[in-house]
């Protein structure tokens, strides 16, 4: 890891055993949906799109080609995602084209100046993405917003983006795409010294204000952003302390419930019902902080595997026989991506309700399976299967260059103190059955959101469901196989397929 004079952190990892003549570049930026200005929800998502102009106009590209066309011309691929708390851009090219790819990456940062025509084109594209996503991610967003008011989804709102101007877009870019809020990671069949020589040359001006007449205002906005970024760790600690004080009475209520023999949640929130294709209920639980309480966080990831690979299949069979549930899906982490977001984050269970099954009855079934795990410890064989399933998922991606590049950037930006992606297997193996039981108790006793999923009036329910994993902003919705029961704790830690460019 090196730090350029302007503050840009650069990670270079030589892994020729994975690279095989290739190199991946990831640029991770501390700007996401939570940073959208009031009345302009979706600005971060729009800036992501504008980094891939569909024409050369306003891209500071003298050849008239956009970034994606340049990468494709070199035989490479590129994409991006906007999350709640960050945006990540990733590119994979033949190793001999890496100097060019780094130059193109720096050029689009230094020359960011989209025209009104390009902005209108991309806002239209985002509107189509929002319509295409439909209700897929709404239960997750509803649960997060209920537990943590002020959190924003990453897609945005087409109506709010309709009137956005080039000046507003550039002000957001200059405020958030500063050197100290970005991490550049390069992974593959590369020479670190050679990479750093190129990076030092082409990225030297990244993060410097270059817009005449706006510099004063933009510097003020940027300074505010830098101050906020510096204060975030302290603010998080203060918020945790406040929650601990505020929850003292709730903890007492939980202890009373234990005496009565029935743990109950410290706080239950019931957001407004959501329209859905079939009747259901979404149950959301806060995840531990992956920085300050990493063992408890990983225990929650293992718990989701336990639920999906052993406990919930048995529950599904009994539920099917009893005509109570039609499906159950568990996700751990941001829309199913664990270790892909800083706190706050969620575990979310989405349960399909059979006709006649009320919301409270479905939630009772969910709590019954959690209670069975909480009364553990788990049998060693069951625990080992769950951990091994996560390890297999990790190893399947370990030789993916963009996965490694993105993981390095996320760890540096969102999860400070992380030992890196290669340390994860050992961390998972240290998770114990007792910790998984404690994770289940935490879900039973902590705050919870319960959101009814109800089909429109006149909709005809069906017996089985088709589960679709919601996409992050900037990615396509990829239909999954029809399932009766699935768990998603083994979903990718990596970049997803997308639509940009």
């Amino acid at each position: 890891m090196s730090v350029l004079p302007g503050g840009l952190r650069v990670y270079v990892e030589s892994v020729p055993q994975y690279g095989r003549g290739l190199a991946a570049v990831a640029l991770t930026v501390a700007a996401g949906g939570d940073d959208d200005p009031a009345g302009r929800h979706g600005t971060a998502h729009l800036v992501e799109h504008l980094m891939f102009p569909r024409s050369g106009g306003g891209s500071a590209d003298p050849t008239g080609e956009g970034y994606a066309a340049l990468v494709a011309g070199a035989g490479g691929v590129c994409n991006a995602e906007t999350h709640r708390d960050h945006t990540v851009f990733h590119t994979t090219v033949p190793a001999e084209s890496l100097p060019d790819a780094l130059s193109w990456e720096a050029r689009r940062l230094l020359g960011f100046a989209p025209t009104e025509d390009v902005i209108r084109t991309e806002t239209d594209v985002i509107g189509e993405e929002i319509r295409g996503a439909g209700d897929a991610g709404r239960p997750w967003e509803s649960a997060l917003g209920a537990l943590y008011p002020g959190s924003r989804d990453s897609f945005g709102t087409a109506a709010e983006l309709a009137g956005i101007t080039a000046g507003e877009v550039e002000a957001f870019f200059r405020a958030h795409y500063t050197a100290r809020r970005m991490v550049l990671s390069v992974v593959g069949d590369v020479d670190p010294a050679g990479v750093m020589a190129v990076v030092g040359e082409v990225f030297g001006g990244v993060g410097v204000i270059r817009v005449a007449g706006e510099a004063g205002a933009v510097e003020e906005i940027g300074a505010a952003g830098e101050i906020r970024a510096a204060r975030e760790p302290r603010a998080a600690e203060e918020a945790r302390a406040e929650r601990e004080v505020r929850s003292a009475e709730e903890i007492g209520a939980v202890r009373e419930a234990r005496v009565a023999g029935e743990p109950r949640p410290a706080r239950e929130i019931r957001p407004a019902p959501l329209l859905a294709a079939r009747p259901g209920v979404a149950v959301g639980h806060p995840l531990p902080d992956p920085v300050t309480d990493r063992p408890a966080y990983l225990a929650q990831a293992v718990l989701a595997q336990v639920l999906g690979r052993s406990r919930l299949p048995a529950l599904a069979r009994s539920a099917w026989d009893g005509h109570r549930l039609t499906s159950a899906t568990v996700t751990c982490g941001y829309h199913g991506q664990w270790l892909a977001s800083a706190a706050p984050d969620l575990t979310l269970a989405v349960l399909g309700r059979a006709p006649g099954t009320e919301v409270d009855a479905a939630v009772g079934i969910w709590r019954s399976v959690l209670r069975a795990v909480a009364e553990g410890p788990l049998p060693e064989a069951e625990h080992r299967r769950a951990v091994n399933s996560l390890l297999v998922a990790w190893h399947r991606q370990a030789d993916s260059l963009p996965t490694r590049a993105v993981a390095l950037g996320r760890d540096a930006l969102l999860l400070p103190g992380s030992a890196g992606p290669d340390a994860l297997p050992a961390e998972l193996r240290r998770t114990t059955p007792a910790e998984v039981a404690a994770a289940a108790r935490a879900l039973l006793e902590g705050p919870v959101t319960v959101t009814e999923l109800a089909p429109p009036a006149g909709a005809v329910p069906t017996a089985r469901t088709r589960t679709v994993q919601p996409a992050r902003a900037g990615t396509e919705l990829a239909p999954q196989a029809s399932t009766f029961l699935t768990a998603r704790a083994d979903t990718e830690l990596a970049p997803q397929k997308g639509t940009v460019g």
Side-chain angles (χ1 to χ4, degrees), residues 1-21:
M1 192 274 286
S2 300
V3 182
L4 298 188
L8 177 69
R9 283 168 285 174
V10 184
Y11 288 78
V12 184
E13 184 182 35
S14 178
V15 283
Q17 70 274 25
Y18 300 137
R20 294 182 287 273

Side-chain angles (χ1 to χ4, degrees), residues 9-310:
R9 283 168 285 174
V10 184
Y11 288 78
V12 184
E13 184 182 35
S14 178
V15 283
Q17 70 274 25
Y18 300 137
R20 294 182 287 273
L22 299 174
V25 179
L27 180 73
T28 310
V29 186
D34 282 353
D35 299 289
D36 290 340
R40 288 289 185 254
H41 184 200
T43 303
H45 186 190
L46 176 59
V47 168
E48 175 225 301
H49 275 242
L50 293 172
M51 292 281 280
F52 297 86
R54 290 163 202 268
S55 69
S59 66
D61 184 352
T63 67
E65 294 182 272
Y67 177 87
L70 293 169
V71 171
V77 294
C78 59
N79 221 315
E81 301 174 27
T82 303
H83 287 241
R84 176 186 58 77
D85 54 7
H86 72 285
T87 302
V88 59
F89 305 86
H90 48 88
T91 300
T92 305
V93 294
E96 62 266 24
S97 298
L98 177 60
D100 288 334
L102 290 169
S103 177
W104 300 331
E105 185 73 73
R107 184 193 303 172
R108 64 174 173 168
L109 286 169
L110 291 167
F112 184 86
T115 65
E116 295 287 352
D117 287 345
V118 173
I119 289 173
R120 297 283 75 80
T121 296
E122 296 306 323
T123 54
D124 289 344
V125 172
I126 289 174
E128 290 300 319
E129 287 185 359
I130 293 171
R131 283 187 285 274
D135 297 332
R138 292 183 67 202
W140 196 95
E141 304 291 358
S142 174
L144 185 72
L147 286 168
Y148 304 100
S151 296
R152 308 294 294 272
D153 70 80
S154 54
F155 272 101
T157 303
E160 294 187 13
L161 288 178
I164 196 168
T165 67
E168 289 175 302
V169 169
E170 288 196 44
F172 182 93
F173 178 86
R174 304 294 172 187
H176 296 285
Y177 280 60
T178 62
R180 283 179 286 176
R181 294 176 63 88
M182 297 190 292
V183 173
L184 181 73
S185 45
V186 181
V187 173
D189 193 359
V190 300
D191 169 43
V195 170
M196 285 307 306
V198 174
V199 169
E201 178 182 352
V202 301
F203 279 85
V206 168
V208 177
I209 303 301
R210 293 182 179 273
V211 182
E214 292 186 9
V218 173
E219 285 174 355
E220 184 178 345
I221 296 171
E226 301 289 359
I227 292 171
R228 192 195 70 171
R231 289 177 176 172
E232 279 174 354
R234 187 179 65 183
E237 291 296 334
E238 291 173 351
R240 274 190 290 273
E242 183 181 346
R243 286 196 299 269
E244 288 175 2
V245 173
R246 196 170 57 239
S247 64
E249 294 181 0
E250 296 172 347
I251 292 172
V254 169
R255 287 173 177 164
E256 291 176 4
R258 282 180 177 170
V259 171
E262 175 61 26
R264 63 173 181 262
R267 180 166 56 101
E268 183 177 290
I269 305 169
R270 297 256 175 165
L274 297 176
L275 289 177
R278 297 169 181 84
V281 60
V283 186
H285 304 270
L287 279 172
D289 190 317
V291 175
T292 62
D293 203 2
R294 193 174 178 91
Y297 181 101
L298 294 179
Q300 290 289 350
V302 176
L303 173 63
Q305 283 296 300
V306 169
L307 297 175
R309 292 186 175 270
S310 54

